[in-house]
Amino acid sequence: MLRASQVALSLDSSLAFRPNPGTAAREGAAAREATAARAADAQAFTQALQHHVAPARTPLTGSQAADALQAAWQGAMGRAPSQSTLSILVGQWAHETGRGAAMLNYNFGGIKGSGPSGASTVYATHEGSGGSAVQIRDRFRAYDSPEQGASDYLSLLQRRYPEALQAAERGDPVGFVQALKARGYFTGDEGAYAKSVAGLARRALALGFDEIGANDAAALGAPGTALPLEAAALDAGTNAPELGVDAHGEMVIPPGAYAHSFADEIGRVELLISALRIGQLGDKAG
């Protein structure tokens, strides 16, 4: 016969070794979530590696840029842009890319982040203006063709800068730049940027688009020529006094100089992609 103390001991011992079903389920779910998170992180890191491309020269003539922008407008709006509207868009492209000679990876407007395909590249730029300007390295969208770059540029204007597009449709380059600045497209001096874009647009209307683009895209180097990361992209608006402004109000760029006033769109920067960028820059600095 079992004594009462023995019965109690047996029950207590049994309970002590019996797992709590609720606790086990929670621990199992947490482990599965952690495993899934690690897998997702690894996949994102791999994708980031696959979509990073080297900065490459992709010079265009003014006519080539105009053709790509006109096709993008036609596709988005279902109608062709007016010549004055197109001249403003090409004028901004010329301002952003050193009149086509310093265009990189078919990026029409110095747009940060990753393109629709996920491709991006890293190079230097200036942010701010005057004494507050600083040089940084950042991630910019990269494209396989002028058509891709122009289409994404116009899509960005439609989504985030509709007032700028409305000004372009009115043939108002100053209003176009003011609307860009109001929504944070660039950090440089608004007056210098507006003077440059307006002057380039007027020149395009008067003399043709090739007057504000690369004189000979083929002679400037085959598209895809790799650039070292040290090739800093200078802010044309910030550096206007140094580079000079001609009688038409456009930037005068010395041979071999790179002049960009890259857009400050907030990129879709995920944690791993940011880590990848930091790692790349650390490798380059070392």
Side-chain angles (χ1 to χ4, degrees), residues 11-38:
L11 290 175
D12 290 345
S13 300
S14 175
L15 289 173
F17 288 100
R18 184 181 301 148
N20 185 316
T23 300
R26 286 194 296 272
E27 290 175 350
R32 289 191 296 272
E33 289 176 2
T35 300
R38 286 193 295 271

Side-chain angles (χ1 to χ4, degrees), residues 216-233:
D216 186 350
L220 292 169
T225 303
L227 288 175
L229 289 183
E230 292 89 347

Side-chain angles (χ1 to χ4, degrees), residues 31-265:
R32 289 191 296 272
E33 289 176 2
T35 300
R38 286 193 295 271
D41 288 349
Q43 183 178 9
F45 187 76
T46 300
Q47 290 176 344
L49 285 173
Q50 292 173 341
H51 287 96
H52 175 76
V53 299
R57 293 186 180 94
T58 52
L60 295 179
T61 65
S63 292
Q64 289 171 331
D67 288 346
L69 288 167
Q70 180 167 324
W73 185 283
Q74 181 78 44
M77 308 293 190
R79 52 184 168 80
S82 68
Q83 285 299 101
S84 61
T85 296
L86 188 58
S87 71
I88 292 171
L89 299 181
V90 178
Q92 193 206 4
W93 161 81
H95 175 84
E96 289 279 351
T97 64
R99 296 180 64 170
M103 189 180 197
L104 301 178
N105 301 88
Y106 296 116
N107 193 323
F108 272 70
I111 307 171
K112 292 183 179 180
S114 299
S117 69
S120 65
T121 188
V122 176
Y123 42 83
T125 184
H126 279 164
E127 288 194 350
S129 60
S132 63
V134 294
Q135 187 181 75
I136 64 169
R137 283 189 173 94
D138 215 329
R139 188 166 58 92
F140 295 89
R141 300 185 187 187
Y143 310 93
D144 294 328
S145 68
E147 292 73 23
Q148 287 182 9
S151 178
D152 194 40
Y153 161 75
L154 191 64
S155 176
L156 169 68
L157 293 182
Q158 285 182 295
R159 294 193 316 273
R160 299 195 56 180
Y161 308 95
E163 298 87 355
L165 272 188
Q166 293 166 11
E169 288 203 84
R170 296 194 304 268
D172 178 6
V174 174
F176 174 76
V177 171
Q178 288 174 340
L180 292 178
K181 180 68 171 181
R183 287 186 176 265
Y185 188 100
F186 63 95
T187 57
D189 179 77
E190 180 181 330
Y193 197 117
K195 186 176 182 180
S196 174
V197 172
L200 289 162
R202 287 195 302 269
R203 190 172 182 83
L205 281 175
L207 301 174
F209 292 113
D210 281 335
E211 287 295 316
I212 64 169
N215 292 331
D216 186 350
L220 292 169
T225 303
L227 288 175
L229 289 183
E230 292 89 347
L234 302 179
D235 183 323
T238 300
N239 294 282
E242 290 80 359
L243 295 175
V245 178
D246 69 10
H248 299 281
E250 60 187 89
M251 309 312 300
V252 179
I253 302 169
Y258 291 92
H260 297 270
S261 88
F262 290 112
D264 299 310
E265 185 197 5

